Amino acid sequence: MSVELVIRAGAATDRGLRRETNEDSLVVTRTMCAVADGMGGHEAGEVASALAVRTLGSSQLFSSRDPWSVEVPAEPEPPEDVARFRARVERELKLDPEIPDATLALMAKLRAVLGAADTSIQESLGGRAGTTVTGAWLVDVEGTRLWLVFNVGDSRTYRLVRPEGAAPAPDHASVAHHPTGEITAHTASEEAPELLHEQIADPDSPGVEVATTTPLPVTPAPKDGPQPEVQQITVDHSEVQYLVSIGQITPAQALVHPRRNVITRALGTGQVWEPDVWVVPAQSGDRLLLCSDGLTGEVATAHIARVLHSVPHPKEAADVLVNAALRAGGRDNVTVIVADAVASRPADEDTTTFVPIDMRHDLGS
């Protein structure tokens, strides 16, 4: 019988140096974590992302030891093209001998919870705002341990790939004096011009308390040896990603493209919100990174990989990455979750949820 795995995570978020508010939200539970990046300006984006993580964090699906028995909201009949997409995904998964068929039922329940979040945002904001979301759910399906990684929009989930022969991640007991399952919410005060807010593509388009931290040293990997890497699991739902996928622009050009802020899927807008769900084998010692585009727009993936590999504790790694984004310019809100798969964690660590501070009272926090 396989040993049960749980998530031990650290997180940090900052409004950045050029934004007036922080429209990002996050949630961490024992088996699920997620980052949401709201859009819509003023308070609307904050509410959209907050509703998304509240819906996920409050669902019994992610706390039950028998998620197949958990009742979830009924899904409306999908459009024909979405139904074909789902059927194709299911056929491909059924052909994979390493993925138990029971996984499909969990994917459907996960999709239903995300659908409930979409409905909640639409009902509250009338389509005036939306949010991206990316998350990871750690499950055990008939003795097979899996990550169900999901995304809508351009927030991303990465997996650390350690150099061959590198020492395994340290036992968390050795760093237990650091709190986990909590977040650092920074507040930046530097004034700078406001940038364009993220937008939803037209239907016809293609395709807290202020905390201060001292940056921790990052041990560089030997230049002549194997280097740590990060594997991007999710694929952005954005116009520039579509252009990259058809070979019209390169990934480097996408970083500076004038349409880089236009996404093609989001929760709460009344348009397409269908999530992608990626089934990834899980094992003790796995380290995932979930982040809004405020990190990946500022910090190179090579540096992200070095931080994740060399900073043992997930909370400290999250702080280092957020500080790196700020030092690189901090042009957007930046939110990071570093999530480790471990065999156990303290029983008193429960759900951690961050929503923009102005929304906490309204949402019953």
Side-chain angles (χ1 to χ4, degrees):
M1 181 177 179
S2 60
V3 177
E4 180 188 15
L5 296 181
V6 294
I7 291 173
R8 188 170 175 86
T13 186
D14 193 295
R15 71 174 174 88
L17 304 178
R18 302 193 182 188
R19 300 294 193 192
E20 295 181 357
T21 59
N22 190 350
E23 294 185 313
D24 290 355
S25 299
L26 65 88
V27 61
V28 177
T29 77
R30 290 177 65 84
T31 63
M32 184 276 300
C33 52
V35 167
D37 179 357
M39 63 206 76
H42 305 293
E43 292 186 350
E46 299 176 7
V47 176
S49 68
L51 288 170
V53 301
R54 287 294 193 197
T55 303
L56 289 165
S58 63
S59 174
Q60 293 184 3
L61 185 65
F62 308 113
S63 59
S64 173
R65 293 186 179 274
D66 181 17
W68 291 271
S69 67
V70 175
E71 293 188 6
V72 295
E75 283 190 277
E77 191 70 22
E80 184 177 349
D81 57 342
V82 173
R84 287 198 303 268
F85 169 76
R86 292 180 183 179
R88 179 172 59 83
V89 170
E90 289 187 4
R91 286 196 303 270
E92 292 176 355
L93 290 175
K94 287 180 178 179
L95 292 174
D96 190 330
E98 297 184 359
I99 300 177
D101 288 346
T103 308
L104 297 176
L106 295 185
M107 292 174 61
K109 288 179 179 291
L110 170 60
R111 190 171 57 234
V113 174
L114 291 170
D118 176 75
T119 300
S120 176
I121 297 167
Q122 287 195 60
E123 291 177 348
S124 298
L125 299 173
R128 293 183 294 109
T131 185
T132 71
V133 66
T134 189
W137 181 19
L138 188 55
V139 298
D140 187 315
V141 184
E142 300 173 357
T144 300
R145 298 177 298 191
L146 301 168
W147 291 104
L148 300 189
V149 176
F150 55 93
N151 78 297
V152 180
D154 64 354
S155 296
R156 296 178 180 176
T157 296
Y158 293 86
R159 187 176 191 174
L160 173 64
V161 180
R162 301 182 186 275
E164 186 176 354
D171 189 324
H172 278 283
S174 66
V175 288
H177 61 282
H178 296 288
T180 57
E182 64 178 37
I183 62 100
T184 299
H186 308 262
T187 299
S189 58
E190 182 177 333
E191 297 295 331
E194 180 72 7
L195 300 183
L196 290 175
H197 284 284
E198 200 156 32
Q199 308 168 39
I200 301 295
D202 295 330
D204 296 330
S205 301
V208 37
E209 181 180 350
V210 178
T212 58
T213 60
T214 302
L216 296 170
V218 177
T219 304
K223 292 184 178 180
D224 57 350
Q227 303 294 310
E229 299 177 353
V230 285
Q231 173 194 23
Q232 184 177 335
I233 299 175
T234 56
V235 176
D236 295 352
H237 301 134
S238 66
E239 286 197 0
V240 293
Q241 177 59 49
Y242 172 76
L243 296 176
V244 169
S245 68
I246 63 174
Q248 188 166 329
I249 63 174
T250 67
Q253 291 172 326
L255 294 174
V256 294
H257 195 280
R259 300 282 286 178
R260 65 187 180 276
N261 293 321
V262 182
I263 64 175
T264 54
R265 295 189 208 176
L267 296 178
T269 64
Q271 298 179 23
V272 177
W273 61 269
E274 181 73 10
D276 288 337
V277 182
W278 310 84
V279 183
V280 180
Q283 62 182 357
S284 181
D286 281 352
R287 170 163 283 190
L288 300 188
L289 166 71
L290 295 79
C291 61
S292 60
D293 61 349
L295 176 69
T296 52
E298 302 285 9
V299 183
T301 54
H303 183 72
I304 291 172
R306 287 194 295 271
V307 171
L308 294 176
H309 176 60
S310 62
V311 181
H313 198 276
K315 179 65 178 65
E316 292 178 347
D319 282 337
V320 170
L321 290 171
V322 166
N323 276 298
L326 296 178
R327 291 196 301 273
R331 292 170 292 178
D332 199 356
N333 304 151
V334 54
T335 298
V336 170
I337 297 175
V338 177
D340 293 343
V342 297
S344 64
R345 73 178 198 176
D348 59 353
E349 290 183 3
D350 202 351
T351 299
T352 295
T353 306
F354 169 85
V355 298
I357 193 166
D358 293 341
M359 308 313 307
R360 291 187 173 195
H361 177 72
D362 295 341
L363 293 170
S365 177

